[in-house]
Each structure stands twice: as C-alpha cells, then as structure tokens.
Amino acid sequence: RQAWFLNLNPISIGGQATFGTDYSLDGAYHRNYLTGTYMPIAFPDAVQEFKVESSGQSAERGAGSSVSVVTKSGTNDLHGDLFYFVRNDSFGSAREYFSTKKSTYKRNQFGGTVGGPIMKNRLFYFGGFQDSIRRENPGTSIANVPTAAVLAGDWTSFASAPCNLGTARVLRAPFVNNQISPSLYVAPSVFMANRLLDTLKQDGITPDPCGRITYNSPSNEDDRQYVGKADYQVSSKQSAFMRVLATQQKVPNSFSLDPNLLNWGSTGLDQLATSAAIENTYTFSPNIVQAFRFAFNRTAHRYTPNLAFSYCTAGVN
C-alpha cells in the first residue's frame, strides 16, 4: 500500500526500461519530466480502477507498455470511508543482530475519502486524504572513529592485534613505538575528530580501544496526499470533470534528529508533486466521440543540508 502511494521506485513492465512505460491518470498524461517515469498515483481508496498493458500498444500510447488509473467520482448518494494501518515493532519484534536495542520502526498510515452530490444528477464532488508517518531510530550503524588516545598521539591500542584481525601493526618510520606527535596532525582533521567525539559523548557513546562504535541513524518521514475531483454532467451528451492531486514528502536530515556528526552526511527532503487535469467529453453519435483533456504536472524538490559547522571554521583554507 505504501509503495503504491509513494511511487518512489519506478517499475519495469515486461522487462522494459522504467522510462519506457506510458502513464495516464483519468485519461490525462501523468509523467514526471524530471525522472522520465511517472507522477505519484492516487492512494488505493481514491482509485476506481486501473489497467496495466504490457504489449500491443496503440500509436496513441507511444510506448511499449502502459498504466492507466482512474480516480473515483461522486455520485447521487453520499459515500465515504476511513482507514488506519499501524506497524509498531515495539509490539514484539525481535532485535536485529547487530543492533544494540530492539527495533524502533513505527509506521502509521491513515486517511479517508468522501463523495456525493452538489446538484443531484448534475454536479458531484469527491475528496480524499492519506497521511503516512514513519519513525525509526535503529542502533545498527557501525563505524570506526579516532579515539582519545589516537588524538593524543598514542596508536598502540589502535594498531594492536585485536584491532586488526589478529595481526599487530607497526607504524612505519619515522614513527617509533606507534607514536605520532599530535603537532603533525592536520588541524581541520583534528577539529572534526574532536567535534565527532563531543557529539558521541552527548549520545553516551564511548569508542572501544579499537575506535569501534555502534550508533543510531534516525530516519523520519511524513508523506501526505490530497485528492479533489468535481464532475459535471452538462447534458445527456456532454460531461466534464476537474481533478487535482497533490503529494507531499518531508524527510528531515538525520543530524537534526540526533546531532551525531556521523549523521552529517544525511540530507533532508521537502518535496511536492502536483498534477491537475481538466476533461470535456461530447458524444456526437454512437460512432463519434470528442474528448478533450488538459494535464498539468509539476514537481518541486528542496534538499535540506546539515549545517554542523563550516569547513572554514574547521580551519580549511
């Protein structure tokens, strides 16, 4: 269900390239021009029907395969639904092998739809909303970091056999007895190493003599989707509709959740995908139907960097 909603991983149909499939929503072009694949599709409770064709496409499709989706519409009767799905590993999931604690994965997905008449037999509305909230803070990441002894110039433990798969190491000349004068260290590296150890200390993490640690990499995500549609039966021969679909994804950077410098490389996301369609269909005769559709697709991507410090502050020229 979540994969359907997020549409983060382009799919391959019939072994074709992911960008070789044509996508339509309510008969309107539904392609993401940034990735060459597709825009987010409405969540399942807002979908009336869908069709996947893997071969034998008409020239109209212009692709080797196609996916067509139709959103729900309002009717003369008021209809709606509410749903809630939850996954919480604290309910009894086992601890992962390398983790220092039980899994913290939590996902809550909820929403609903409603549709009905504005003017019976003439004008109808349909609306839907879905929210997916994911929280995770696994203690499964492993890293080797400089120890306080290494920063003081003593590499004895770091080079010992237990820290090197059973084989002791010796620093090459001109270094003696696995000692390096701290004055030889590059200043920006010392700055960043000290900042790293300070952030680990705040998390209550102390490296072992080999510099190995296991730390948390928090991962939060909020995804929301809004669907709105209005249908108008102009006459027995003419009908029209307007549909808007907006999908928002927010992922804060891990460093803002846990100021461990090892989480500095995580980049947050704030993305919005919007698609709209207008349709008008006129039936001239049983053999002649004119259909006009206008589609508007837009994706906005904003990345949120981590600002733990600037390299100039660290002493980089």
Side-chain angles (χ1 to χ4, degrees), residues 212-264:
R212 175 166 291 193
I213 62 168
T214 302
Y215 65 98
N216 298 324
S217 297
S219 176
N220 293 358
E221 184 173 339
D222 293 285
D223 302 293
R224 297 182 178 90
Q225 190 173 74
Y226 308 86
V227 184
K229 189 177 184 183
D231 292 85
Y232 182 43
Q233 189 67 38
V234 182
S235 65
S236 60
K237 291 186 175 183
Q238 186 177 9
S239 64
F241 76 77
M242 180 177 67
R243 185 261 306 149
V244 177
L245 174 66
T247 306
Q248 183 182 45
Q249 181 186 51
K250 287 191 175 183
V251 181
N253 58 61
S254 295
F255 186 78
S256 66
L257 303 173
D258 186 343
N260 178 341
L261 205 59
L262 292 173
N263 293 322
W264 193 23

Side-chain angles (χ1 to χ4, degrees), residues 101-173:
K101 57 185 178 181
K102 292 180 62 176
S103 174
T104 59
Y105 189 91
K106 301 179 180 68
R107 181 163 69 89
N108 293 271
Q109 191 172 45
F110 54 90
T113 64
V114 63
I118 298 176
M119 297 172 54
K120 285 201 171 186
N121 300 318
R122 282 285 187 175
L123 186 60
F124 311 93
Y125 71 91
F126 176 84
F129 168 76
Q130 177 174 277
D131 195 351
S132 295
I133 302 173
R134 179 177 60 81
R135 298 291 181 265
E136 187 176 12
N137 189 16
T140 57
S141 300
I142 299 174
N144 288 85
V145 302
T147 62
V150 166
L151 289 176
D154 184 2
W155 288 68
T156 305
S157 296
F158 205 83
S160 65
C163 298
N164 293 275
L165 302 177
T167 302
R169 305 294 179 180
V170 177
L171 297 182
R172 298 176 181 177

Side-chain angles (χ1 to χ4, degrees), residues 153 155 170-185:
W155 288 68
V170 177
L171 297 182
R172 298 176 181 177
F175 308 113
V176 180
N177 296 328
N178 285 332
Q179 303 289 315
I180 300 178
S181 172
S183 63
L184 298 177
Y185 292 156

Side-chain angles (χ1 to χ4, degrees), residues 16 33 44 74 87 131 174 186 236:
Q16 302 178 84
Y33 294 101
R87 173 184 166 184
D131 195 351
V186 178
S236 60

